[in-house]
Amino acid sequence: MIAMQPSIYVVTGKVQGGKTCFLTELVELLKKRKILLCGFLCPGTFDLGERSGFRLKNVETGKEVPMASVKATAHWVKYRKFWFNPEAFKHGKEWIRECLRQKVQIIVIDEVGPMELEGSGWSELLEDISQAPIPVQLWSVRENLLEDVIQRWNIASEHILHIDKLEVEQAVQRISGFLANISKQNHN
């Protein structure tokens, strides 16, 4: 068995440009191919057409937890224009710990952004999973933060999945091809 660090694939696009929708479709298509994955998505919530917050959604179970809101909420932590639910971070970390106990092929993290670049949010979690024996991590990252994320986590340029330049099925082909190559190497 060849030991290797996980390869990070990044779904990127503009803020509110459809990254989570792309990632959701990508996750569903990968599941249909019997690729084992876990982690979370962070779909937005809207009030009168304006982004009002986010939910944290487990990709395996569908369980959702309120993640962030533009409204001040008791015991939540303010970061920029949103208030973040500490309980959502606890759930996300537990979901990922559960992933690490399974033999999954992909961990999904939606999203890696300013908090992580500053050492908070999911940053500790990203460090933990960087050494995990899981072949692929699938992150979403805002286009304007992409270069910083690429440099910080040493991400290969061929693993960038830009939603404006790539169809979801093409992303599925890239990732499933990568996993097939790893499987072949491990069996040789």
Side-chain angles (χ1 to χ4, degrees), residues 23-75:
L23 191 53
T24 300
E25 190 176 343
L26 179 55
V27 163
E28 290 308 312
L29 290 172
L30 290 167
K31 282 181 181 180
K32 285 181 180 176
R33 288 181 176 232
K34 307 292 187 228
I35 293 173
L36 302 174
L37 51 80
C38 64
F40 50 80
L41 298 165
C42 209
T45 57
F46 295 85
D47 190 14
L48 301 173
E50 295 290 319
R51 170 87 25 107
S52 59
F54 297 92
R55 299 179 320 276
L56 192 68
K57 181 178 180 178
N58 185 310
V59 298
E60 282 183 295
T61 66
K63 179 179 179 175
E64 293 188 8
V65 178
M67 175 78 186
S69 175
V70 291
K71 294 179 184 165
T73 306
H75 309 293

Side-chain angles (χ1 to χ4, degrees), residues 72-176:
T73 306
H75 309 293
W76 286 25
V77 178
K78 183 151 177 44
Y79 179 81
R80 298 190 177 177
K81 74 176 198 173
F82 288 101
W83 291 82
F84 285 86
N85 179 2
E87 288 300 309
F89 286 101
K90 286 180 186 173
H91 282 283
K93 289 174 184 175
E94 180 53 40
W95 295 343
I96 297 301
R97 280 195 291 275
E98 182 59 33
C99 290
L100 297 175
R101 290 189 282 268
Q102 302 173 32
K103 293 202 181 257
V104 298
Q105 296 163 288
I106 299 174
I107 289 181
V108 179
I109 307 287
D110 182 22
E111 91 176 49
V112 175
M115 292 176 97
E116 291 71 27
L117 286 166
E118 294 171 10
S120 63
W122 303 117
S123 63
E124 182 182 318
L125 183 67
L126 298 176
E127 296 307 317
D128 291 346
I129 63 177
S130 70
Q131 303 304 314
I134 294 171
V136 172
Q137 293 178 33
L138 185 54
W139 300 356
S140 67
V141 175
R142 300 173 197 168
E143 186 177 62
N144 63 334
L145 297 176
L146 184 60
E147 286 307 314
D148 291 336
V149 169
I150 286 171
Q151 288 179 5
R152 169 73 173 80
W153 283 281
N154 196 27
I155 299 169
S157 60
E158 65 269 15
H159 290 178
I160 305 304
L161 309 170
H162 199 294
I163 65 173
D164 294 334
K165 299 175 183 171
L166 195 69
E167 297 295 322
V168 176
E169 188 56 47
Q170 292 171 300
V172 170
Q173 294 295 329
R174 279 196 200 176
I175 294 168
S176 58

Side-chain angles (χ1 to χ4, degrees), residues 11-27:
V11 170
T12 192
K14 293 179 175 46
V15 173
Q16 294 189 28
K19 294 180 301 298
T20 298
C21 290
F22 187 100
L23 191 53
T24 300
E25 190 176 343
L26 179 55
V27 163

